[in-house]
Amino acid sequence: AMTDKNWVITAGGGPIIATAIHAGHMLRPEVAAITALDEAVRLREEDPFTDQWLSIAETTVAVAVSRFEVDLNRPRDPAVYVEPKDAWGLDLWKERPPQDLIDRSLQTYDAFYRDLAAVCDSVADRYERFVVLDLHSYNHRRRGPDAPVDDPMENPEVNVGTGSVDRALWGDTVDAFSAAVAAHPFDGGHLDVRENVRFRGGHMSRWLNALYRSRGCTLAIEVKKVYMDEWTGQADEAVIVNVGQALAAGVDALLPALET
């Protein structure tokens, strides 16, 4: 495993890579010193516990650094949130972050993308085709802890973002994954799995899909925070495990799809 204080990359067998790039909560001291956000607000916009699903793949990327230090799922220039409009209208900073602090955060960004390409290249060297599962989560009680949940018709439990995927090349693979996740038993029924309803995939999936095209396909998997209380940060361990089992069923369906 390549380790760095900001992320851990574990290299294993198989053509599947799982990433949790927004699971992190860490801020380096110079960033922590001037953030205006309290822990709970940061946690609400991070993707806690998504790293618990990485075990669905043998090659994994677990990011410890918070998106509030540098957002690895945005293009490079806006990867450091500066203005409230960059991050859900939040009042982010006690004082404007100096350019040298921003530059250091962007060095982290560049290092991450170098490491990500290296791990993808190593898998691409061994397998004809590979898939990256880019794991995220999203809020569905935006109006407050006691308000009704956001409309389930517009907020699937699992949103598969394929906005940058070439469906002519990868459609069968994507469909096999989604169908298997949807078929897995969940909480007395099944997960509502739909494509591109809320999210089409962010910068990382666009970058990887452009880079690898016919060789590698990246799916942005957004799981609605049905597995935790997004306002208190409290996890529901049984639901986390169940979601992981459904995602693992998706991986089991991906493997034969990649062979064809």
Side-chain angles (χ1 to χ4, degrees):
M2 292 193 287
T3 42
D4 186 288
K5 66 180 184 350
N6 292 310
W7 50 83
V8 177
I9 295 178
T10 305
I16 312 296
I17 302 169
T19 68
I21 63 170
H22 281 162
H25 190 62
M26 196 176 79
L27 298 175
R28 68 177 189 276
E30 66 171 341
V31 175
I34 63 165
T35 185
L37 300 172
D38 67 32
E39 297 270 333
V41 171
R42 281 205 292 124
L43 198 65
R44 192 172 314 136
E45 300 302 348
E46 292 159 351
D47 297 350
F49 313 114
T50 50
D51 53 334
Q52 292 192 27
W53 299 321
L54 291 175
S55 59
I56 62 174
E58 292 174 49
T59 298
T60 62
V61 181
V63 175
V65 66
S66 173
R67 67 191 303 172
F68 288 101
E69 180 174 312
V70 61
D71 189 338
L72 301 170
N73 207 26
R74 301 241 176 138
R76 188 181 190 277
D77 286 344
V80 177
Y81 309 149
V82 179
E83 307 290 347
K85 65 174 170 47
D86 300 333
W88 308 277
L90 296 171
D91 183 16
L92 296 161
W93 304 105
K94 295 174 187 167
E95 60 191 62
R96 190 178 177 83
Q99 189 59 46
D100 61 336
L101 177 150
I102 292 172
D103 290 344
R104 281 187 285 274
S105 294
L106 293 176
Q107 284 169 6
T108 298
Y109 182 96
D110 293 339
F112 173 79
Y113 273 89
R114 280 195 300 273
D115 284 1
L116 179 66
V119 75
C120 290
D121 285 347
S122 76
V123 173
D125 284 345
R126 286 175 288 141
Y127 296 91
E128 195 64 36
R129 301 198 301 160
F130 69 96
V131 171
V132 178
L133 298 174
D134 172 27
L135 303 172
H136 295 268
S137 62
Y138 79 100
N139 293 330
H140 67 122
R141 308 193 79 108
R142 283 272 177 210
R143 288 169 290 185
D146 303 317
V149 298
D150 300 343
D151 183 359
M153 285 309 297
E154 292 166 23
N155 295 273
E157 285 157 332
V158 179
N159 182 104
V160 180
T162 61
S164 58
V165 171
D166 183 340
R167 280 201 74 90
L169 291 171
W170 295 100
D172 292 351
T173 311
V174 176
D175 292 344
F177 174 82
S178 295
V181 176
H184 192 81
F186 181 84
D187 191 28
H190 297 276
L191 286 161
D192 173 18
V193 181
R194 284 180 279 156
E195 218 173 306
N196 302 329
V197 177
R198 279 293 310 272
F199 305 96
R200 299 179 60 77
H203 176 76
M204 191 184 90
S205 51
R206 286 193 299 271
W207 187 82
L208 289 172
N209 282 322
L211 188 61
Y212 294 99
R213 297 187 184 278
S214 61
R215 298 295 313 282
C217 170
T218 301
L219 304 179
I221 310 298
E222 292 267 0
V223 180
K224 188 158 71 170
K225 288 186 184 173
V226 292
Y227 63 88
M228 64 177 292
D229 184 322
E230 70 194 51
W231 287 92
T232 66
Q234 184 66 41
D236 187 329
E237 292 296 340
V239 182
I240 290 175
V241 169
N242 200 171
V243 169
Q245 290 164 339
L247 294 172
V251 169
D252 287 345
L254 274 179
L255 296 170
L258 284 174
E259 299 294 308
T260 53

